[in-house]
């Protein structure tokens, strides 16, 4: 017959979780507490930044799931690529550029600029995770596109009021800092 899944789960040294949805995150929290009980839990392909963004919306778990549980999840491989553009007053009038936030544990968090060849070059690194606004600022600096005077109206209009997500901003509410390390 089939093996007893409860017994096999209790005997496991490590647990691997793949492709769950935002609605299933509370079940993952409960599983790590009741079954894994301190043993390593490896999550694969969860796209946690996307799932975190849905927390607090109707039909999804509350935001405090980030503060008490998801803040414990340490990324060992992370790649978030983004495309940007900036309008300028001279030809070609629009400059397109691409970059990524990258992490391969235990290495540092890196901001990568996509070169014309398609390869990525590291332009900044830190032991703490960059928020998305910081990634864009690092890319703009590397491209020589930080042309607005700091604190000016034009700088505000270019960057906007909000340059980070709620879960990047709420560090003081987090019970753990692992996801930023």
């Amino acid at each position: 017959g089939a093996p007893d899944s409860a017994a096999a789960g209790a005997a496991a040294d490590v647990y691997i979780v793949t492709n769950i949805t935002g609605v299933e995150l509370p079940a993952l929290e409960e599983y790590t507490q009741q079954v894994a009980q301190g043993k390593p839990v490896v999550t694969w392909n969860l796209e946690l930044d996307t799932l975190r963004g849905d927390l607090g919306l109707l039909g999804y778990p509350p935001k405090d799931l980030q503060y008490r549980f998801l803040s414990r999840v340490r990324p060992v491989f992370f790649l978030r690529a983004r495309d940007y553009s900036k309008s300028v007053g001279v030809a070609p009038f629009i400059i397109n550029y691409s970059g990524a936030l990258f992490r391969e544990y235990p290495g540092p968090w890196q901001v990568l600029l996509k070169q014309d060849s398609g390869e990525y070059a590291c332009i900044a690194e830190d032991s703490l995770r960059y928020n998305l606004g910081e990634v864009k600022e690092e890319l703009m600096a590397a491209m020589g596109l930080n042309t607005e005077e700091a604190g000016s109206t034009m700088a505000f209009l270019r960057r906007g009021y909000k340059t980070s997500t709620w879960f990047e901003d709420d560090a003081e509410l987090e019970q753990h800092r692992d996801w930023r390390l």
Side-chain angles (χ1 to χ4, degrees):
D4 178 16
S5 62
D13 295 324
V14 65
Y15 301 89
I16 299 173
V17 179
T18 61
N19 298 332
I20 65 172
T21 67
V23 180
E24 295 169 311
L25 287 172
L28 174 59
E29 178 184 29
E30 183 178 336
Y31 189 85
T32 60
Q33 292 170 346
Q34 295 181 3
V35 178
Q37 297 179 351
K39 295 177 185 173
V41 176
V42 176
T43 61
W44 182 261
N45 253 7
L46 295 192
E47 297 186 23
L48 279 181
D49 277 11
T50 302
L51 299 180
R52 281 182 178 106
D54 292 337
L55 296 178
L57 297 176
L58 183 64
Y60 288 90
K63 289 181 176 182
D64 73 329
L65 185 68
Q66 161 65 18
Y67 308 138
R68 71 173 186 273
F69 175 64
L70 294 180
S71 62
R72 297 179 64 199
V73 177
R74 181 170 298 179
V76 295
F77 184 82
F78 184 94
L79 179 64
R80 185 169 188 172
R82 287 284 182 259
D83 296 320
Y84 301 98
S85 62
K86 182 176 181 181
S87 59
V88 294
V90 295
F93 303 109
I94 295 182
I95 298 179
N96 297 311
Y97 58 102
S98 299
L101 177 60
F102 174 75
R103 186 353 157 46
E104 184 178 16
Y105 187 82
W109 289 92
Q110 299 177 350
V111 178
L112 307 177
L113 177 64
K114 189 173 185 180
Q115 307 294 299
D116 291 337
S117 65
E119 294 180 4
Y120 286 89
C122 178
I123 59 167
E125 61 182 34
D126 199 319
S127 60
L128 292 178
R129 178 187 164 132
Y130 293 86
N131 72 37
L132 294 181
E134 293 166 338
V135 170
K136 185 176 180 182
E137 288 296 319
E138 292 287 353
L139 293 169
M140 287 177 48
M143 295 284 297
L145 296 175
N146 273 342
T147 56
E148 295 81 22
E149 185 178 325
S152 70
T153 301
M154 186 53 76
F156 173 77
L157 293 173
R158 288 254 187 223
R159 288 161 182 83
Y161 167 71
K162 189 84 171 134
T163 60
S164 56
T165 62
W166 66 265
F167 56 85
E168 292 171 325
D169 289 340
D170 290 347
E172 70 280 355
L173 299 175
E174 295 171 355
Q175 295 177 16
H176 309 276
R177 292 182 43 92
D178 291 358
W179 81 283
R180 296 178 186 271
L181 302 176

